[in-house]
Amino acid sequence: MPILRGDEELEKVLKGSRTVAVLGASTDPRKPSFFVSLVVRTYGFRMFFVNPDHAGEEILGERVYASLRDVPVDIDIVDVFRRPSAARDVAEEIRAKGCRTVWFQPGTEDMRVARELADEGFNVVVGRCMKVECRKLL
């Protein structure tokens, strides 16, 4: 599967998804993972937050999980807010969970890992902000 680039492809993914896990979620309202999640949630997505440093705390009234594996439901989109150097670890966690779409926020992508995930059949988005795309396409 190719890396998704067109608006029609992104719109189809967004409209066909209900659950979003935010990897690298922050409790700090000034951080992109926080305010992007705040906006994305307004489009009807059920949000799950993953950050081992904040496990057991809450973000936007939802429990924070230590790992993606700990999230108790199937996830449609994994929204990645981790450094590119963590992409390989992120990919392993995503493979273990079996999510459909991996959304690397701008500046988080490792293109080698993104291509590997796409070749394995995952929908992969790079270089586009989920908040911006929700506002534009939904």
Side-chain angles (χ1 to χ4, degrees):
M1 180 162 281
I3 293 175
L4 304 180
R5 300 191 189 278
D7 286 353
E8 288 180 22
E9 296 169 315
L10 294 180
E11 183 178 8
K12 183 177 178 183
V13 164
L14 289 169
K15 287 185 174 179
S17 300
R18 296 289 20 116
T19 56
V20 176
V22 181
L23 289 187
S26 176
T27 58
D28 184 344
R30 297 170 293 184
K31 298 278 185 166
S33 66
F34 187 94
F35 60 78
V36 167
S37 298
L38 186 63
V39 172
V40 168
R41 184 172 72 165
T42 67
Y43 288 89
F45 292 100
R46 185 170 176 204
M47 306 298 290
F48 295 88
F49 301 100
V50 179
N51 186 326
D53 294 336
H54 296 291
E57 297 177 35
E58 287 190 358
I59 296 175
L60 300 174
E62 302 292 338
R63 177 180 172 209
V64 179
Y65 295 91
S67 78
L68 189 56
R69 292 178 194 99
D70 296 333
V71 176
V73 301
D74 291 338
I75 296 297
D76 296 320
I77 299 174
V78 176
D79 195 13
V80 181
F81 286 91
R82 301 276 316 273
R83 293 186 177 159
S85 60
R88 188 133 325 263
D89 292 337
V90 165
E92 289 307 315
E93 203 169 345
I94 288 165
R95 288 178 182 111
K97 183 68 175 175
C99 310
R100 292 191 322 221
T101 301
V102 183
W103 196 301
F104 288 101
Q105 289 286 342
T108 69
E109 61 271 74
D110 173 320
M111 288 308 294
R112 181 177 293 157
V113 172
R115 281 189 210 96
E116 288 172 10
L117 289 167
D119 289 346
E120 292 169 25
F122 291 91
N123 295 318
V124 179
V125 179
V126 296
R128 294 175 83 163
C129 176
M130 192 171 177
K131 174 187 82 159
V132 171
E133 299 308 322
C134 283
R135 284 182 169 163
K136 182 169 77 173
L137 300 171
L138 298 180

